[in-house]
Amino acid sequence: MRPSFPLPLQTSLLRVLETGEIRKVGSSETKHVDVRIVAASHKNLRTEVMQGRFREDLFYRLHVIPMYIPPLRERKSDIRLLAELFLTRAKSKKMLDDKAWIALEEYNWPGNVRELKNVMERALILSGTSFVIEAEHVCLELMEHPRIIPEYEPLTVKSLSLSNIDREGPKTLEQVEKETISLSLQMCGGNKSRSARELGIAKSTLHEKIKKYGI
């Protein structure tokens, strides 16, 4: 198995930690740095050392104040706090209904906090103009199969169109496109490249839609 942190890079990092000096690629000038290293890994580094995939000397250089952070599935009480934090960061005033909270709390979260963040971003887009985020917006599969990772369709304008029919009645495709693109840009902090990736469309297409709808 190929190590996720190749041994040559481990050697380079160890040298920096021991000497406190770095040299830019292509430069002959050495520069002193005074930094604090914060390292994280989802692997057992002691096991990696025993199996020859991680340098023992680097391990002890990094292993100064070890902290263990349990996975999200072992701290379900944090889910609500984190979900509300992601809504706040997105500057959204939407609320999750009871079934949506149950769906989130019963899921096993193999992707931990990052997966929860992605699910909340998706829920904001799928909920359209509705003030309430329902279970179907966070994907009902989470509640029905809490230990199975659901398979989601790519977030394209086409796949989102049927999810944006609210209680006021069906909308035109242009209305749905405009709302979906606006929400996506909001969630991506105005980053058009990221928004295009999330929507599954070319960046040039996104620019055309923005110009068309005056977003």
Side-chain angles (χ1 to χ4, degrees):
M1 184 180 77
R2 183 179 179 181
S4 56
F5 189 12
L7 290 172
L9 286 180
Q10 294 180 31
T11 302
S12 298
L13 177 57
L14 179 63
R15 187 181 302 116
V16 171
L17 293 176
E18 289 179 341
T19 64
E21 296 177 341
I22 62 172
R23 187 172 59 192
K24 293 182 179 180
V25 176
S27 173
S28 59
E29 181 182 354
T30 299
K31 182 178 180 180
H32 180 75
V33 293
D34 183 11
V35 297
R36 177 175 297 173
I37 303 295
V38 179
S41 176
H42 66 282
K43 296 182 178 180
N44 187 321
L45 292 185
R46 291 186 183 276
T47 301
E48 295 293 297
V49 169
M50 293 175 60
Q51 296 180 355
R53 292 196 289 263
F54 199 88
R55 291 185 57 130
E56 184 176 17
D57 45 3
L58 177 59
F59 171 77
Y60 285 112
R61 276 282 186 178
L62 296 173
H63 198 260
V64 179
I65 305 178
M67 296 178 63
Y68 171 71
I69 302 178
L72 191 56
R73 64 178 176 272
E74 294 181 11
R75 45 192 176 99
K76 294 294 184 73
S77 60
D78 288 352
I79 291 175
R80 186 177 292 263
L81 293 174
L82 288 168
E84 290 175 343
L85 173 64
F86 295 140
L87 290 176
T88 301
R89 287 183 176 178
K91 298 179 180 179
S92 173
K93 296 182 179 180
K94 295 187 177 185
M95 301 177 63
L96 281 80
D97 66 11
D98 291 341
K99 288 185 178 180
W101 283 121
I102 293 173
L104 294 178
E105 291 171 353
E106 289 192 354
Y107 186 49
N108 203 35
W109 299 108
N112 286 305
V113 177
R114 182 175 297 175
E115 184 180 11
L116 174 59
K117 180 177 183 293
N118 291 339
V119 167
M120 293 308 299
E121 289 181 356
R122 183 183 300 112
L124 279 173
I125 295 174
L126 293 179
S127 59
T129 58
S130 173
F131 183 72
V132 178
I133 297 176
E134 301 175 359
E136 63 180 13
H137 300 138
V138 299
C139 292
L140 197 57
E141 294 95 330
L142 300 184
M143 186 161 57
E144 295 174 346
H145 307 288
R147 296 189 178 276
I148 299 178
I149 301 175
E151 296 182 0
Y152 304 110
E153 290 185 20
L155 286 178
T156 61
V157 172
K158 181 179 179 181
S159 68
L160 289 172
S161 61
L162 295 179
S163 301
N164 287 273
I165 299 175
D166 59 21
R167 295 179 179 84
E168 296 178 0
K171 300 178 181 179
T172 66
L173 179 58
E174 289 190 346
Q175 287 176 313
V176 172
E177 278 189 336
K178 182 177 180 180
E179 291 176 2
T180 301
I181 291 171
S182 297
L183 285 168
S184 178
L185 287 169
Q186 179 185 342
M187 288 301 307
C188 296
N191 188 315
K192 296 182 179 63
S193 296
R194 181 184 171 193
S195 180
R197 288 196 301 269
E198 292 291 333
L199 291 168
I201 60 177
K203 188 177 179 181
S204 58
T205 302
L206 178 62
H207 279 289
E208 292 174 1
K209 298 291 185 181
I210 291 174
K211 184 178 180 180
K212 175 182 178 180
Y213 297 124
I215 300 174

